[in-house]
Amino acid sequence: MKILKFSSVASILLLLLNLSLSWGAPDPVYETFLQCFTKQTNSTDDKLSSIVYNQESKSFSSVLRAYIRNARFNSSSTPKPTVIITPLEESHVQAAVICAKQVNFQLKIRSGGHDYEGLSYKSENPFFILDMFNIRNVDIDMEEETAWVGAGATLGEVYYKISEKSNVHGFPAGVCPTVGVGGHFSGAGYGTMLRKFGLSTDNVVDAKIVDVQGRILDRKGMGEDLFWAIRGGGGASFGVVLSYKLKLVSVPQTVTVFKVERLVEENATEIAYKWQFVAPATDNNLFMRMLLQPTTKNKKTTAKITVIALYLGLKDNLMSLLDKEFPELGLKKEGCMEMRWVDSVLWWSSFDLNTTKPDALLDRKVDWADFVKRKSDYVQQPIPKFSLNLIWKTMTELGKVGLVFNPYGGRMSEIPATETPFPHRDGNLFKVQYSITWEKPDPELEKNYTSQVSDLYSFMTPFVSKNPRGAYLNYRDLDIGMNHNGKDSYEEGKVYGAKYFNGNFDRLVKVKTMVDPENFFRTEQSIPVLPK
Ligand SMILES: Cc1cc2nc3c(=O)[nH]c(=O)nc-3n(C[C@H](O)[C@H](O)[C@H](O)COP(=O)(O)OP(=O)(O)OC[C@H]3O[C@@H](n4cnc5c(N)ncnc54)[C@H](O)[C@@H]3O)c2cc1C
Ligand SMILES: *[C@@H]1O[C@H](CO)[C@@H](O)[C@H](O)[C@H]1NC(C)=O
Ligand SMILES: *[C@@H]1O[C@H](CO)[C@@H](O)[C@H](O)[C@H]1NC(C)=O
Ligand SMILES: *[C@@H]1O[C@H](CO)[C@@H](O)[C@H](O)[C@H]1NC(C)=O
Ligand SMILES: *[C@@H]1O[C@H](CO)[C@@H](O)[C@H](O)[C@H]1NC(C)=O
Ligand SMILES: *[C@@H]1O[C@H](CO)[C@@H](O)[C@H](O)[C@H]1NC(C)=O
């Protein structure tokens, strides 16, 4: 009787224990982390609830979803972090690093969340997210023509804040205003002023980082090697970038934009062929992106090109430039629009200028995303006309995948390939982005679409760079290699590392080995340490 009683009490206890474990009993990892974090930051309990979230927190899922920018990784099967930390100040970042290290958890760092493979918010291993969206001051010094920008600021915020101070200053960075400073600048960053001013990182003059020991270091403190590495080598391998200091650039009071569309039946092939000679060689003030897409016209499948351009100057000068260099494009004066630089930023991100003011750039569009797959390539020799025709054919057969050609040349060819970790400089005519976007979750469709992208990528092999076949770090693509951060970490890293960084990979490995020898800052495509 007694024994029976005891065992039933025990089983009730066990049951309760089980229930409480599955119903959100505090996870020991979370508890240990929280204790450490509280101690490091001197935080009070009520303050902590808006900085550290575990899976049981009411707002866990809304905080996680806020900066998911590829809806493919917004599913119940996407691995979730054990803890999300959303620092309000720099000391919270220091504490997060120190305490994540103490419990030996992988720390994924997220600024704007635009990583195409979701590396800033998912992992195959148990992990935390350090979410930087609150660290987003933009402090502009017009005397010095510089700005300190927090890692969690968006490009839209940077552009808007600059435009509040001046309409003859700008910054050369990405087209999409919701992209985050932390990932974009640490991974190089480019936009419509690439040919005039180079990459975003070419215009970064200082930075603040939290290193693996939890110290805050500026350029002087971290030294030139680490400062070099975080201007294109990807922040996530080296530490947590708190902020970058940018040198602003001069833009004219009035700039000009245009967009021209041509079907294959309207000489698209001739225009696309000629584009390869003109776009990378023309006036540095002119950036002409070209999209190549399958389309239908009168129920017939065909392909089209769209040339979208920014000219840092007036319409009349642009017209005479293109009349001379690119008459095949058939640009009409009525097709050109003059505007302020900040309005060209809105125009490029497809806002309706009649109804939109620059403050639209401040919209963070939280918890919103399309389903996407992207890849990248570099073209160093013009693609012949007959091959362009084969591209149209392949594209229309595949159905949906498109290409974006971004011209290089200009300033990009003047900067040595070793100046920053980004190696794709002189000798590259343009970068190719493979692009497919859809709106609904559907595993069958996803399989079809991602194979369209890899089929077109295979088809393009003869036309793009080889040994290694180059890729752009900020167009993250796990197909080109992955790291499990085990004993083969260096060998695995060399595979994608050579593609992203070419000859700069070795120096990145040296810096990594120097600043983070235990490989605490690691991702599926981080820089490995030298084998011991
Ligand atoms: C819609 C869209 C448009 C884009 N347009 C352009 C474009 O015009 N030009 C261009 O160059 N690229 C473009 N990109 C790519 C973009 O530059 C990269 O995805 C970039 O890395 C995004 O930065 P993020 O902070 O938003 O991303 P996140 O996903 O937050 O971070 C990307 C990577 O950087 C790491 N990281 C983030 N913050 C920090 C930090 N503070 N310290 C250390 N490491 C950090 C992350 O861990 C991750 O590995 C675009 C992407 C999207 C989705
Ligand atoms: C926490 O408090 C201690 C003791 O008062 C102090 O030395 C330390 O600087 C504080 N840390 C932070 C991050 O405020
Ligand atoms: C195509 O090119 C031909 C010859 O160069 C030209 O006569 C014709 O007008 C062009 N067609 C279009 C639609 O631009
Ligand atoms: C914006 O305004 C211009 C000039 O008034 C007009 O031609 C154009 O159609 C308008 N665009 C939209 C999208 O309403
Ligand atoms: C994630 O999915 C939910 C529905 O399950 C949706 O409401 C939300 O907008 C999605 N967010 C993103 C970033 O895709
Ligand atoms: C994708 O689906 C379409 C239509 O169902 C089909 O014709 C095509 O072959 C598929 N493509 C791939 C790469 O699977």
Side-chain angles (χ1 to χ4, degrees):
M1 191 65 181
K2 255 183 186 162
I3 289 166
L4 200 131
K5 235 185 187 161
F6 174 77
S7 74
S8 59
V9 167
S11 58
I12 287 170
L13 273 176
L14 268 177
L15 185 73
L16 279 176
L17 187 68
N18 252 325
L19 279 177
S20 66
L21 274 177
S22 58
W23 282 0
D27 176 337
V29 169
Y30 168 66
E31 285 301 311
T32 313
F33 176 82
L34 199 63
Q35 248 178 32
C36 170
F37 191 87
T38 311
K39 193 159 149 262
Q40 289 288 331
T41 57
N42 303 332
S43 287
T44 55
D45 283 354
D46 57 325
K47 214 174 139 203
L48 273 177
S49 65
S50 62
I51 306 173
V52 182
Y53 304 84
N54 69 358
Q55 296 192 356
E56 273 69 44
S57 312
K58 266 211 312 282
S59 14
F60 177 83
S61 128
S62 64
V63 173
L64 176 62
R65 270 166 36 184
Y67 296 99
I68 287 180
R69 296 304 191 186
N70 187 346
R72 289 170 63 198
F73 311 125
N74 177 33
S75 80
S76 51
S77 60
T78 309
K80 305 287 184 289
T82 306
V83 172
I84 305 175
I85 309 115
T86 63
L88 299 169
E89 42 192 87
E90 297 182 343
S91 61
H92 299 162
V93 179
Q94 297 176 281
V97 169
I98 291 166
C99 300
K101 214 169 54 175
Q102 187 180 310
V103 292
N104 196 22
F105 254 57
Q106 185 178 23
L107 188 64
K108 289 290 189 132
I109 311 160
R110 180 163 77 172
S111 287
H114 283 64
D115 192 291
Y116 284 124
E117 298 277 13
L119 293 197
S120 54
Y121 54 86
K122 69 173 178 57
S123 175
E124 291 307 319
N125 307 307
F127 69 109
F128 294 168
I129 293 178
L130 177 61
D131 202 328
M132 298 291 286
F133 68 90
N134 284 318
I135 310 283
R136 61 184 198 225
N137 268 1
V138 176
D139 293 318
I140 297 177
D141 181 339
M142 272 330 289
E143 294 275 284
E144 221 188 48
E145 301 182 297
T146 57
W148 272 106
V149 297
T154 63
L155 299 182
E157 286 161 358
V158 176
Y159 299 147
Y160 178 79
K161 294 275 170 65
I162 295 173
S163 78
E164 274 188 322
K165 302 268 184 189
S166 160
N167 57 15
V168 292
H169 286 82
F171 193 75
V175 171
C176 170
T178 53
V179 165
V181 160
H184 188 69
F185 292 7
S186 65
Y190 85 96
T192 56
M193 299 199 288
L194 170 90
R195 303 191 61 258
K196 174 91 173 186
F197 300 111
L199 303 165
S200 305
T201 41
D202 297 331
N203 299 277
V204 164
V205 293
D206 205 338
K208 275 195 344 187
I209 188 171
V210 171
D211 77 351
V212 70
Q213 293 166 51
R215 297 177 302 184
I216 296 182
L217 305 170
D218 65 1
R219 177 175 184 170
K220 204 155 158 251
M222 76 181 85
E224 288 304 304
D225 280 325
L226 182 51
F227 183 63
W228 175 83
I230 58 165
R231 283 176 299 147
S237 303
F238 302 99
V240 184
V241 175
L242 293 170
S243 52
Y244 281 111
K245 186 182 185 184
L246 317 179
K247 179 79 185 131
L248 305 184
V249 301
S250 298
V251 297
Q253 206 142 20
T254 305
V255 305
T256 306
V257 299
F258 71 80
K259 186 185 219 170
V260 169
E261 230 177 72
R262 293 279 185 272
L263 295 169
V264 169
E265 292 75 13
E266 299 165 337
N267 299 340
T269 313
E270 289 70 24
I271 300 170
Y273 180 70
K274 181 80 183 278
W275 177 93
Q276 301 177 92
F277 296 87
V278 180
T282 187
D283 188 332
N284 291 2
N285 290 308
L286 178 58
F287 179 82
M288 291 191 283
R289 170 180 280 182
M290 182 165 70
L291 318 185
L292 293 73
Q293 291 164 293
T295 185
T296 51
K297 176 82 185 224
N298 304 328
K299 297 200 178 135
K300 195 176 151 277
T301 53
T302 179
K304 68 172 180 188
I305 57 163
T306 311
V307 177
I308 311 172
L310 171 71
Y311 177 65
L312 296 165
L314 300 175
K315 175 152 74 172
D316 286 342
N317 298 342
L318 172 63
M319 286 305 297
S320 49
L321 178 69
L322 286 183
D323 277 348
K324 191 168 74 180
E325 293 186 355
F326 203 5
E328 298 82 353
L329 185 62
L331 181 66
K332 302 265 180 340
K333 202 165 172 180
E334 311 83 77
C336 301
M337 272 190 295
E338 290 182 332
M339 58 186 65
R340 294 176 303 174
W341 176 77
V342 69
D343 291 320
S344 79
V345 172
L346 289 169
W347 183 86
W348 267 85
S349 36
S350 307
F351 284 103
D352 176 355
L353 292 182
N354 290 338
T355 54
T356 318
K357 293 217 190 62
D359 64 5
L361 295 171
L362 302 177
D363 182 0
R364 294 186 147 243
K365 300 207 177 103
V366 294
D367 197 7
W368 184 91
D370 276 325
F371 297 75
V372 303
K373 174 63 192 172
R374 301 284 189 268
K375 296 175 82 66
S376 59
D377 255 323
Y378 285 90
V379 171
Q380 298 166 336
Q381 303 290 333
I383 302 172
K385 267 188 206 168
F386 70 87
S387 306
L388 285 173
N389 278 318
L390 290 177
I391 294 179
W392 310 140
K393 183 165 174 287
T394 307
M395 249 190 287
T396 50
E397 278 167 11
L398 288 169
K400 190 171 167 72
V401 57
L403 299 174
V404 185
F405 289 3
N406 289 287
Y408 275 29
R411 183 81 189 111
M412 286 300 279
S413 298
E414 294 165 11
I415 299 175
T418 52
E419 185 78 15
T420 71
F422 179 95
H424 315 294
R425 303 277 189 171
D426 194 24
N428 290 285
L429 293 175
F430 55 95
K431 173 175 59 197
V432 180
Q433 184 188 54
Y434 300 75
S435 167
I436 200 157
T437 302
W438 67 101
E439 268 115 50
K440 295 231 162 58
D442 177 343
E444 279 301 302
L445 204 65
E446 173 160 358
K447 213 164 139 250
N448 183 297
Y449 285 174
T450 50
S451 31
Q452 286 193 30
V453 175
S454 30
D455 289 358
L456 188 58
Y457 187 76
S458 307
F459 175 81
M460 292 294 285
T461 309
F463 312 120
V464 300
S465 66
K466 350 187 143 23
N467 304 317
R469 184 171 181 169
Y472 175 35
L473 178 68
N474 265 344
Y475 288 172
R476 179 87 61 195
D477 178 10
L478 288 180
D479 308 347
I480 67 168
M482 229 178 109
N483 212 318
H484 301 89
N485 291 296
K487 67 174 176 18
D488 300 325
S489 162
Y490 176 78
E491 291 305 320
E492 287 173 345
K494 223 161 66 173
V495 176
Y496 54 83
K499 294 171 183 165
Y500 286 140
F501 307 112
N502 215 341
N504 293 327
F505 176 68
D506 287 343
R507 183 169 175 200
L508 285 169
V509 171
K510 279 192 198 122
V511 179
K512 167 74 179 180
T513 309
M514 184 173 74
V515 303
D516 182 23
E518 300 304 323
N519 198 20
F520 171 71
F521 291 111
R522 62 191 183 274
T523 75
E524 292 78 351
Q525 280 190 342
S526 52
I527 304 294
V529 294
L530 271 173
K532 291 200 176 104

